Amino acid sequence: MNFAVISDNLLYFMVGSWPNGPIGGAALTVLLSLASALASAVLGLALGIALSQSKGWPGMALRTVLGFLRAVPVLMLIFWIYFLLPVVFGLDVPGVGAVTVALALIGGAYLAHAVSAGIDSLPRGQSEAARALGLGRWDALRLVILPQALPRMAPSFVNQWVALIKDTSLAYVIGVSELSFVATQVSNRVMVYPAEIYLFVAAVYYILCMIVEVGIGRAAARYRIRPA
Amino acid sequence: MSSPVISIRNLSKRYGEFQVLSDCSLDVARGEVVVVCGPSGSGKSTLIKTINGLEPFQFGELRVDGAGVGDPGADLRALRARVGMVFQHFELFPHLTVIQNLMLAQVKVLGRSGVEAAERGMALLERVGLADQRLKRPAQLSGGQQQRVAIARALAMDPVVMLFDEPTSSLDPEMVGEVLDVMTALAEGGMTMVCVTHEMGFARRVADRVVFMDRGRILDDAGAEEFFGASGRRSARAGEFLSRVLRA
Amino acid sequence: MFDGFLAPRYLAWLLEGFGVTLTLSALTSVVALGLGFILCMARLSPVRLVAAGAGLWLSAFRNTPLLVQLFFWYFGVSALLPENWTGWLNASHGDFAFGLGWPSFEFLAGFVGLTLYSAAFMAEEYRAGINGVPGGQILAGRALGLGSGVIWRRIILPQAARNALPPLAGQVMNVVKNSSLTMAIGLAELSYASRQVETETFRAFEAFGAATLLYILAVAAIEAASQVLIARDPLRRAARP
């Protein structure tokens, strides 16, 4: 195998046609990952708290919507947002936006489930003790429940963010010039080194995922609270 | 005669198909120490948790320090600030230090300043003998120490009545004594207390009245001496229960 | 509802695509469930080299995107293979089974890629299931004088299988969802078909709506099947008071 094709095109793989064009390649992958990670974390936290606090019809409705988001392939959701929204709302959705929104929604749905499970995993006595002291529901949540529940959910957040990094590759299907798209462009141009190119690209993704898994995973482990 | 601190009338509670409490009535006067005992599943924990509104109920009347619990407009937060509760599993907040555990509700519920709350907290820690542990986290304390901190945390709110839900049931035997000592001192200081407990020795020494429950009903409500006396002013069930518990 | 607006030939495309999706998912799931178990055993092997090798393999397949893996198998491997191999793989070899016809190279590459990817995740679910069995169970078995083979087969594995069933069902659902990526290598499965229909008819709502519905049906069916399996577990019945 000849890896010269990698070094010849390294800059293009890393940043796309920037600065002579919009940012692309691995840099765009990182940006997409960061944006959707942030959005899905915020969404997941809010919906997860809502899920754990709601009963009856609103709770069931929320559960159904979240279940729908977890049953649909990411690709389908990207199609909906990218191809359908312009038709329905007259909005022109850029590819980057469509992918970020789709990943944020699906990531948020998974995280909502994890957050809700984390909150429910605390012994009932903790919320009873907080309420027995007179703390209101939101104060109890903010000061007693969440500080204990969030570190427990950290592995779920890490897993979800790793999945997100990989899912940004789906932007390829709608022509966004992130790393996978750029890789196919180079491969189609050069023609004879697909194995080398895709192995290299896989390695780049691997490094990105490892950074999140090992880096954030270790930091989260340090903040684990030992139960009394 | 002053009105009772706690007044329970014909209280009933069901959970789905299951009748947890049936027609319970009980008065607790200021300064009284009432021990509630009975076999497991008798509803004693549930009854005590209705007093501070942690458990809702369907029928009956419940008044605590003049306020009606279960009234639609009831201010449960204000009520809970006046009723202290100690749990079987201590339930200290593990992510906070001991002194922070004592200060949290004082600041957030009673609106005390941080300085005031810290002073009050320290005074109570001295009282339970744990002032030097103030910066430790609950995980670093023994069970007996944690429960004493939990008692101090409840006392920090200056409650009018203290509720104890099997406070020593989760403790190793050698630590039961230190917690019972704190509770005894509290009783001798005139605190109104309702204790669910299996510690009959404590009940004999400290309780003014004993309430025996079985399957959601109050079967006995008698003065402590009468209840434990050989002449036995108590129901047959209570007699059976006592003979089993006191066997050890 | 909306399908009435789509001409029958477009509906046929969608259903054909769904058929490909289901076939691919079924084959992949079966093989991946088996391969995943083998990989899990390798990962737990007392032989350090085997365990480390399996660990590396699993890490590689779980932390790289499925899309890139599919590209590797479809574009990369065919470039690496000698010419007569690729010729053989691409040619039709008559009927395969049930009159399905020899799978296309797209299907083969999709199957290989999806299976290897999914097996890695299933291996982790098996591992979690095994680790979820309390250590005391092994001690109890040894105290009774049972050999390690028996302990493994009759005490650990049955409990591990129960633990792992719901997450493994989740992974099978993921196989169905992930099969959508094979459209990128030209396999005419459901997502590919829905895009084709949308391009020709401009009826994005109906095309994507029908495809989404079919995916949800497939996922729901797997969920229902797993619930049935769980409900019929004799251990659960015994545990009821």
Side-chain angles (χ1 to χ4, degrees):
Chain A
M1 288 204 269
N2 182 354
F3 284 92
V5 66
I6 309 297
S7 41
D8 289 343
N9 294 283
L10 192 58
L11 198 62
Y12 190 59
F13 283 128
M14 290 293 115
V15 292
S17 47
W18 189 79
N20 299 317
I23 197 152
L28 183 56
T29 293
V30 171
L31 289 174
L32 278 171
S33 306
L34 283 173
S36 37
L38 194 64
S40 64
V42 170
L43 202 61
L45 196 61
L47 292 176
I49 292 174
L51 200 61
S52 73
Q53 302 291 303
S54 61
K55 303 175 253 285
W57 289 115
M60 286 217 58
L62 187 57
R63 229 169 272 275
T64 310
V65 171
L66 294 177
F68 168 81
L69 284 172
R70 281 159 49 214
V72 168
V74 185
L75 204 56
M76 274 280 117
L77 197 62
I78 292 177
F79 283 171
W80 278 101
I81 297 174
Y82 189 63
F83 294 116
L84 205 64
L85 281 191
V87 173
V88 173
F89 292 111
L91 287 167
D92 202 16
V93 187
V96 172
V99 171
T100 307
V101 171
L103 292 180
L105 284 173
I106 292 190
Y110 277 99
L111 285 176
H113 196 243
V115 168
S116 170
I119 290 176
D120 290 342
S121 76
L122 285 183
R124 219 175 130 217
Q126 283 292 298
S127 68
E128 279 185 348
R131 285 159 66 212
L133 285 167
L135 288 170
R137 202 159 79 148
W138 296 109
D139 268 346
L141 197 64
R142 201 170 45 91
L143 298 166
V144 174
I145 304 296
L146 284 180
Q148 296 182 61
L150 283 176
R152 291 185 186 205
M153 308 168 205
S156 298
F157 277 85
V158 170
N159 286 340
Q160 200 43 53
W161 287 338
V162 169
L164 252 153
I165 294 174
K166 294 186 294 171
D167 284 342
T168 57
S169 62
L170 295 178
Y172 161 88
V173 179
I174 55 174
V176 173
S177 334
E178 41 70 60
L179 185 54
S180 307
F181 187 86
V182 158
T184 2
Q185 271 189 326
V186 174
S187 182
N188 288 340
R189 180 166 47 82
V190 176
M191 293 281 284
V192 292
Y193 297 117
E196 290 87 335
I197 290 174
Y198 292 121
L199 279 175
F200 168 72
V201 164
V204 174
Y205 277 108
Y206 185 80
I207 291 171
L208 288 175
C209 290
M210 281 292 116
I211 289 174
V212 171
E213 205 166 299
V214 175
I216 301 186
R218 274 223 202 109
R222 269 198 300 142
Y223 285 100
R224 273 197 85 80
I225 295 162
R226 260 152 281 108
Chain B
M1 192 181 80
S2 58
S3 60
V5 178
I6 299 175
S7 168
I8 305 177
R9 290 271 171 281
N10 310 109
L11 193 137
S12 293
K13 176 188 170 68
R14 48 182 329 161
Y15 193 70
E17 289 297 308
F18 186 55
Q19 192 73 27
V20 184
L21 296 171
S22 303
D23 202 33
C24 296
S25 297
L26 179 64
D27 277 348
V28 180
R30 205 163 293 270
E32 260 199 307
V33 176
V34 175
V35 162
V36 180
C37 61
S40 53
S42 55
K44 30 186 220 298
S45 280
T46 312
L47 181 65
I48 202 179
K49 284 184 180 167
T50 58
I51 296 175
N52 66 349
L54 285 182
E55 290 276 359
F57 54 92
Q58 289 83 26
F59 294 114
E61 226 191 87
L62 172 56
R63 301 197 77 79
V64 177
D65 197 26
V69 184
D71 292 350
D75 187 352
L76 282 179
R77 286 190 57 192
L79 171 74
R80 288 170 185 159
R82 301 202 303 276
V83 176
M85 186 157 207
V86 177
F87 296 82
Q88 179 179 349
H89 298 290
F90 334 135
E91 303 300 350
L92 292 180
F93 305 134
H95 57 298
L96 302 176
T97 61
V98 163
I99 188 66
Q100 284 172 331
N101 263 273
L102 265 67
M103 286 168 63
L104 180 64
Q106 289 187 68
V107 172
K108 291 289 174 186
V109 180
L110 297 179
R112 290 182 184 158
S113 73
V115 176
E116 231 188 304
E119 272 174 21
R120 185 86 182 98
M122 283 308 299
L124 285 163
L125 283 178
E126 299 263 2
R127 216 165 122 185
V128 300
L130 289 169
D132 54 342
Q133 308 292 335
R134 70 188 182 285
L135 294 177
K136 294 256 174 80
R137 286 194 193 253
Q140 296 171 287
L141 302 179
S142 73
Q145 290 173 320
Q146 288 188 52
Q147 195 63 303
R148 284 188 279 152
V149 172
I151 295 174
R153 179 177 68 174
L155 289 174
M157 304 294 283
D158 293 319
V160 302
V161 56
M162 285 283 282
L163 306 174
F164 292 84
D165 186 6
E166 303 210 35
T168 56
S169 297
S170 296
L171 294 175
D172 289 339
E174 72 267 19
M175 292 192 250
V176 169
E178 71 195 55
V179 173
L180 290 181
D181 287 345
V182 171
M183 290 167 67
T184 306
L186 203 57
E188 283 164 3
M191 174 62 76
T192 313
M193 293 164 60
V194 181
C195 306
V196 173
T197 185
H198 295 298
E199 293 290 332
M200 294 295 114
F202 169 79
R204 281 180 104 128
R205 280 196 317 274
V206 181
D208 296 309
R209 266 168 54 224
V210 178
V211 169
F212 177 78
M213 288 184 70
D214 187 29
R215 278 180 277 200
R217 288 183 189 281
I218 294 181
L219 294 187
D220 295 271
D221 184 351
E225 280 160 29
E226 295 168 43
F227 186 80
F228 289 112
S231 54
R233 251 201 69 188
R234 54 180 179 261
S235 62
R237 273 298 280 134
E240 271 174 51
F241 174 74
L242 274 184
S243 66
R244 280 204 305 268
V245 171
L246 293 175
R247 221 176 359 139
Chain C
M1 273 190 283
F2 321 106
D3 295 330
F5 296 124
L6 286 173
R9 85 185 195 108
Y10 297 120
L11 281 178
W13 283 6
L14 288 173
L15 286 175
E16 269 172 45
F18 190 48
V20 175
T21 292
L22 289 178
T23 314
L24 178 63
S25 305
L27 282 171
T28 298
S29 299
V30 168
V31 178
L33 280 169
L35 182 60
F37 186 72
I38 294 170
L39 286 169
C40 174
M41 292 297 106
R43 181 78 181 84
L44 295 174
S45 162
V47 180
R48 293 228 333 247
L49 203 63
V50 172
L56 214 64
W57 171 290
L58 291 174
S59 179
F61 280 92
R62 281 159 41 102
N63 290 294
T64 49
L66 175 59
L67 190 69
V68 175
Q69 292 182 33
L70 287 172
F71 285 159
F72 178 78
W73 295 112
Y74 188 66
F75 296 114
V77 168
S78 52
L80 290 175
L81 288 176
E83 269 203 38
N84 33 347
W85 282 48
T86 28
W88 183 85
L89 281 170
N90 268 307
S92 173
H93 292 265
D95 281 341
F96 190 46
F98 313 109
L100 278 176
W102 185 256
S104 60
F105 188 63
E106 286 78 14
F107 189 92
L108 278 175
F111 170 70
V112 170
L114 193 58
T115 300
L116 290 174
Y117 182 77
S118 309
F121 286 89
M122 298 200 180
E124 275 305 306
E125 303 298 355
Y126 282 117
R127 190 154 86 104
I130 290 170
N131 286 339
V133 180
Q137 293 286 297
I138 304 178
L139 294 178
R142 286 214 213 115
L144 285 165
L146 297 171
S148 39
V150 175
I151 292 178
W152 182 245
R153 271 179 290 113
R154 302 293 297 272
I155 297 176
I156 309 287
L157 275 186
Q159 295 186 62
R162 274 185 193 83
N163 290 342
L165 182 58
L168 282 175
Q171 288 303 330
V172 172
M173 291 186 247
N174 283 346
V175 169
V176 171
K177 290 187 283 172
N178 287 335
S179 69
S180 59
L181 269 70
T182 55
M183 75 166 282
I185 56 171
L187 183 60
E189 48 70 67
L190 184 54
S191 303
Y192 185 99
S194 74
R195 185 81 176 91
Q196 292 296 92
V197 170
E198 186 259 342
T199 331
E200 277 213 19
T201 67
F202 294 101
R203 292 238 178 85
F205 195 64
E206 288 90 324
F208 296 149
T212 306
L213 208 67
L214 288 170
Y215 275 115
I216 292 180
L217 274 167
V219 168
I222 297 168
E223 172 76 35
S226 80
Q227 291 296 339
V228 166
L229 277 176
I230 292 172
R232 286 162 103 225
D233 180 1
L235 223 65
R236 271 190 107 233
R237 286 204 223 117
R240 260 182 247 146

